[in-house]
Amino acid sequence: MKKARTLFFIFSVVLIACKDSKNQSYLPTSTGAINSMVAVVDNELWKGRVGDTIRRYFAAPIVGMPMDEPLFSIDQIAPKFFTGSIKNNRSILYVMEDSLSLGHIKTDMYATPQKVGVIKGRNEEEIIDNIGREAKKIIEAFKAMEIEAAQKRFERSLNKENVLEEKFGISLKIPSIYKVGKQEDNFVWIDREILKGTANIIVYDMPIDSFNNEATLVKDIVSMRDSIGAKYIPGPDVTGKITHMRTEPAFAPYIYPVEIAGKKGVEVRGLWDIKNYPMAGPFLTYILNDKENNRKLVLEGFVFAPATEKRNDMFELEAILKTLKFESPDR
């Protein structure tokens, strides 16, 4: 009898596991444009303070951009219309008045990959408070999913050049549309054409003892970028003038702690320009402590695309740089 109960229990567990696996496999592939989200919220709430709060967090301007561009492009829809294929969107924020006050994130509810941020409150004040408390976590979840989805798309067709492994002992998952444009002893420049301009990746390294003084960190980073620009990234020919890339002198860059591929360092976002020439755009730089190789590894992405939106191009560069892998313990 005991043996029969045990077998029945095992069979039940297996049956439930198979059922869950089938349900998971039947989920459709999620849809949605890059850095877009659906806000499922009553029309009246959307027009008032609740909608203003959602936009303040989820459509906040991205730092380090030459013109205001939102974190996410938001499509609002009333709950009664949240049906059919709309549920397959990759990033969904569900906000409603309810008898409960809560905020949490659900994964792969209607499609995969998918994140659904759920915010409820008994009145507008509670909803607004819960949005403020949970927004950062939801935004981080949306963005991490977007990064991972982009990186999977890269794998469909990757650049096979191994110059980064040869020079720096690293690899990046770079789409094949990018090509190596310049390489020196301690510098590699990879780029591709985009609408009205180019998206660019540069890689180099610095001595391990660089940037160790927190009091002069911003000044030292700007000095490094400007010296690299002067040496490797010239601007257009202008009679009697020196032109090269530098950090836009009128705006101090934003600096945040970061960890990529197990290496701690800083993320730097800001604007570049060309000295003595009217060209400019956004950049994203990672400076990582690579103690094993006795260096600071520098990865940078920057975009030149005058009079066009650059959010998605910068996002692609971020996704590429975050595929960093160290191929060997030493160079």
Side-chain angles (χ1 to χ4, degrees), residues 43-57 123-129 131:
N43 291 339
E44 292 305 310
L45 291 176
W46 179 252
K47 294 174 184 177
R49 293 188 303 135
V50 170
D52 290 341
T53 305
I54 292 171
R55 289 184 287 272
R56 183 165 72 247
Y57 287 103
N123 51 55
E124 286 194 12
E125 290 300 329
E126 282 193 351
I127 293 174
I128 290 169
D129 288 345
I131 293 172

Side-chain angles (χ1 to χ4, degrees), residues 101-275:
S101 177
L102 56 82
H104 56 233
I105 302 169
K106 295 187 176 182
T107 300
D108 297 349
M109 285 190 67
Y110 313 108
T112 183
Q114 184 184 64
K115 293 292 181 183
V116 180
V118 179
I119 301 289
K120 296 182 180 181
R122 289 166 290 195
N123 51 55
E124 286 194 12
E125 290 300 329
E126 282 193 351
I127 293 174
I128 290 169
D129 288 345
N130 289 338
I131 293 172
R133 184 162 45 250
E134 302 295 332
K136 182 179 179 181
K137 288 189 290 187
I138 296 172
I139 289 169
E140 288 175 350
F142 284 177
K143 185 172 179 180
M145 179 181 58
E146 288 285 322
I147 291 284
E148 185 175 350
Q151 291 170 342
K152 287 183 178 179
R153 288 194 296 270
F154 298 160
E155 293 177 355
R156 297 173 187 170
S157 179
L158 290 174
N159 181 299
K160 301 298 184 182
E161 297 170 293
N162 59 358
V163 61
L164 294 179
E165 183 174 356
E166 292 175 353
K167 289 186 175 295
F168 303 104
I170 65 169
S171 66
L172 297 172
K173 291 182 179 179
I174 303 176
S176 59
I177 194 170
Y178 287 81
K179 304 298 180 184
V180 175
K182 177 186 285 189
Q183 52 178 305
E184 305 286 346
D185 290 341
N186 183 40
F187 181 85
V188 173
W189 185 351
I190 302 169
D191 65 351
R192 79 173 181 95
E193 290 186 2
I194 59 175
L195 181 65
K196 296 184 179 180
T198 59
N200 306 265
I201 296 169
I202 58 175
V203 181
Y204 54 97
D205 60 24
M206 298 289 289
I208 189 65
D209 59 356
S210 305
F211 319 115
N212 287 338
N213 187 341
E214 189 171 342
T216 61
L217 181 60
V218 174
K219 179 181 177 181
D220 293 343
I221 289 174
V222 169
S223 177
M224 172 198 72
R225 293 195 70 261
D226 292 355
S227 65
I228 290 294
K231 186 173 182 180
Y232 296 115
I233 310 177
D237 289 333
V238 178
T239 303
K241 293 184 178 180
I242 297 174
T243 65
H244 62 79
M245 177 184 277
R246 63 178 180 177
T247 308
E248 164 59 68
F251 301 97
Y254 299 85
I255 300 178
Y256 310 93
V258 74
E259 183 173 335
I260 302 176
K263 310 290 187 185
K264 293 183 178 181
V266 294
E267 173 183 294
V268 187
R269 291 181 181 268
L271 299 177
W272 61 267
D273 75 351
I274 298 295
K275 184 176 182 179

Side-chain angles (χ1 to χ4, degrees), residues 62-81:
I62 299 172
V63 300
M65 299 289 277
M67 56 186 181
D68 283 353
E69 296 188 56
L71 281 172
F72 298 100
S73 301
I74 304 176
D75 292 318
Q76 180 263 339
I77 187 169
K80 65 181 179 180
F81 298 118

Side-chain angles (χ1 to χ4, degrees), residues 169-171 260-261 263 290 293 295 297 324-328:
I170 65 169
S171 66
I260 302 176
K263 310 290 187 185
D290 185 13
N293 292 302
R295 65 182 176 179
L297 180 68
L324 173 67
K325 181 179 178 182
F326 289 81
E327 297 295 334
S328 57

